[in-house]
Amino acid sequence: MISPNQVIFGPDPGLESALTHLDPDLALTRWAEMEPAQKKALWGDPSAQDPLDVFARLGEYNQFSRLVRPVRAGKGKELLFRELCQVKPEMVTKAYVHLPFCKSRCLYCGFYMARPEPGLVDNYLDLLLKELSDKRSMLAGLSFDALYLGGGTPSDLNPSQMKRLFKGIVSSLNLKPGAEITLEGRLKGFGPDRLETALELGVNRFSFGVQSFDTDLRRFLGRRLDRNRIKQKLAQIKTRSAKPVCIDLIAGLPGQSMELWQRDLTEFAELGLDGLSLYPLRLSGRTPLDMALRGGLAPPVPEARGQAELCLWAGDFLNTLGWRRLDLVHWKKGEQERCLYEKRQREKGRIFGFGWGANSDLGKLRQVNHIAPGSYRALVEKGVQPVMVWLEQPGHYRLINRVADQLNHGFLNPAGLGIKSRSAQSKISALIESVTGPWLSQGLLQKTPQGLALSKPGWFFAPNLIQGLFDLLDLARPAQRPQRPVAPPRHFSLFMAQRAPLDCNQKEKPGHV
């Protein structure tokens, strides 16, 4: 079980200063004036008797303040310098390096960008390594706790490409001794030569997207290996590497019955792996699976309630086997798995993203690299940061980050948010209780000696609860009132409909998507 002491924050002068710009009484007034339909969309159905019926759909895992705003590059660079100066030794500093290529596209995937055509990967590595090199002096004072190679399918890099990439990374980033280094990928094509190269280069954690062990379902989704081959390869990698091996499973796939899901979890548990990420299926509206569902070419997928039933069973099953929940989606067993990169830490963590479409989460500043390959190439070649958009979070971002960190660990304790002023703490607590009260009575939260804790259904709908509290705290800003839910660009997949065809040699006007 997660200890609430992990998410109790001490007083902070910066937080106190930000709270002077919040008016909880105003937020309560605005909340009371809202139309019932809008309240229901943001904070759930107050008349629902079953906790699985409070929200009609599951919220996004990457929650945001709706008051986040784009800023010009000059302001963005100023914020970047300020945030770099505020990175503290106790923070978990993470690097994400993006490899956007896949040999094939799975039906459900919203992240697919391009096939690794001959020469294209090497061309992209040229740009990626130059971006890293150009930022070397800027990041010289930082030491990184975790490096994550994500994609795409980084495991598809051949040994020479992998060696070249790591040489550039270690010459540009200061990795701490014992830093967690994760290679993400898929099992097909990840043979002994690639595994040996990864181990030689210092990879000490592997994460594979299995999604399901069922052969028929895997083939329908575009996955190539059958059940037996998947299990065999995972066992071989675990035995040979002696490093943490983690996989993803998806709940709510087309035609996925409870019986099939239970078999997936049972077979996973028998493999003796170290980590598991459980994700409910997310449909963006733009994936091949979305089109197949609209055309009646795929079995239906469950709504939020059906997904919740699958995830609740999985949670009970893992708990009985001694697995430990790390946050909303990640589980571990044993002490070898650290999950430093993937475990959600907004207040005490910073993420620096490198590569085409990569994101950085740097406290008050978020930045998204260009998703248009021509723009990314043109800016990197000029030695300019290839940022598509700089996003400034509102002044109370520290408060909402702390709320998110608490709920990501399963707890909510307003007294532990680090608000020193008793008056301010009392008002913020009253504001939070205006929505947590109904959630408590509906069974999404439960009382404990340490404060409120997520119930089993609450763990599933935690993204909705976190976003709902963000929206409520946003209402307390006197000068800015969020009018409609407009999400900032959180990943290049949100721009798939706008992106140009992949051609790293294509020249586009920088700044144009």
Side-chain angles (χ1 to χ4, degrees), residues 204-422:
N204 53 26
R205 183 174 181 269
F206 297 91
S207 178
F208 296 103
V210 171
Q211 322 314 353
S212 175
F213 290 99
D214 185 79
T215 299
D216 291 338
L217 179 54
R218 288 178 55 79
R219 296 272 167 78
F220 174 77
L221 296 172
R223 312 291 287 188
R224 305 292 180 82
L225 298 182
D226 63 23
R227 166 187 277 111
N228 292 333
R229 187 65 178 135
I230 283 285
K231 293 163 66 174
Q232 181 185 45
K233 288 184 72 70
L234 285 170
Q236 290 172 344
I237 293 170
K238 177 62 183 170
T239 300
R240 173 62 190 91
S241 71
K243 306 296 183 185
V245 178
C246 314
I247 69 167
D248 300 346
L249 293 176
I250 295 180
L253 292 167
Q256 186 182 53
S257 64
M258 177 63 80
E259 180 182 2
L260 190 154
W261 177 244
Q262 291 173 348
R263 182 175 179 182
D264 272 350
L265 268 294
T266 301
E267 293 186 331
F268 160 75
E270 293 170 349
L271 288 170
L273 303 183
D274 305 275
L276 174 66
S277 299
L278 283 179
Y279 293 102
L281 176 68
R282 313 309 290 267
L283 294 173
S284 67
R286 296 181 294 272
T287 67
L289 180 56
D290 285 288
M291 293 184 282
L293 289 167
R294 287 194 293 266
L297 302 176
V301 298
E303 300 293 335
R305 182 185 182 90
Q307 291 184 336
E309 290 170 348
L310 296 174
C311 290
L312 265 59
W313 184 90
D316 288 341
F317 176 74
L318 292 169
N319 278 322
T320 62
L321 297 179
W323 283 77
R324 177 186 170 194
R325 185 192 284 271
L326 296 175
D327 60 14
L328 303 188
V329 297
H330 298 108
W331 295 76
K332 65 172 281 187
K333 190 171 186 181
E335 297 306 316
Q336 202 175 18
E337 163 67 330
R338 292 181 289 171
C339 200
L340 287 181
Y341 178 84
E342 294 185 272
K343 190 165 62 175
R344 298 169 190 271
Q345 297 168 301
R346 294 194 181 202
E347 177 72 359
K348 297 180 180 180
R350 296 291 183 266
I351 299 176
F352 294 81
F354 306 92
W356 172 31
N359 289 262
S360 296
D361 192 345
L362 308 174
K364 191 174 178 60
L365 174 70
R366 289 187 178 187
Q367 61 184 48
V368 183
N369 274 3
H370 265 286
I371 58 160
S375 297
Y376 176 77
R377 178 187 181 92
L379 291 171
V380 171
E381 287 181 342
K382 290 181 179 180
V384 177
Q385 290 198 51
V387 178
M388 179 176 67
V389 60
W390 306 79
L391 296 165
E392 180 182 14
Q393 298 211 75
H396 60 289
Y397 79 96
R398 298 283 301 280
L399 178 62
I400 61 178
N401 281 352
R402 292 179 177 203
V403 167
D405 282 346
Q406 285 195 348
L407 279 175
N408 274 313
H409 286 80
F411 297 89
L412 181 62
N413 183 353
L417 293 173
I419 303 173
K420 186 176 181 180
S421 165
R422 289 188 178 182

Side-chain angles (χ1 to χ4, degrees), residues 442-476:
Q442 291 173 313
L444 293 171
L445 298 171
Q446 53 194 16
K447 287 186 177 180
T448 73
Q450 295 82 22
L452 297 176
L454 294 173
S455 65
K456 291 178 182 178
W459 274 109
F460 180 79
F461 283 111
N464 302 67
L465 308 190
I466 295 172
Q467 187 63 60
L469 287 167
F470 281 16
D471 292 335
L472 187 68
L473 292 168
D474 281 350
L475 291 177

Side-chain angles (χ1 to χ4, degrees), residues 95-148:
Y96 175 82
V97 176
H98 189 61
L99 287 303
F101 305 101
C102 287
K103 291 181 178 178
S104 62
R105 181 176 186 177
C106 300
L107 283 184
Y108 55 82
C109 184
F111 301 101
Y112 178 80
M113 296 298 280
R115 285 180 55 82
E117 302 294 344
L120 189 57
V121 176
D122 289 320
N123 179 266
Y124 174 74
L125 288 177
D126 289 340
L127 299 172
L128 175 59
L129 294 176
K130 186 176 188 307
E131 181 192 351
L132 281 160
S133 177
D134 289 346
K135 293 179 178 178
R136 182 186 304 160
S137 60
M138 180 181 73
L139 302 176
L142 299 180
S143 295
F144 288 86
D145 299 273
L147 166 66
Y148 192 94

Side-chain angles (χ1 to χ4, degrees), residues 31 39 43-51 54-55 430-446 452 465 469 472:
W31 181 78
K39 284 187 180 181
W43 296 291
D45 184 354
S47 65
Q49 300 299 309
D50 188 317
V54 176
F55 294 97
L431 178 60
I432 289 175
E433 287 169 11
S434 66
V435 293
T436 58
W439 294 339
L440 182 64
S441 65
Q442 291 173 313
L444 293 171
L445 298 171
Q446 53 194 16
L452 297 176
L465 308 190
L469 287 167
L472 187 68

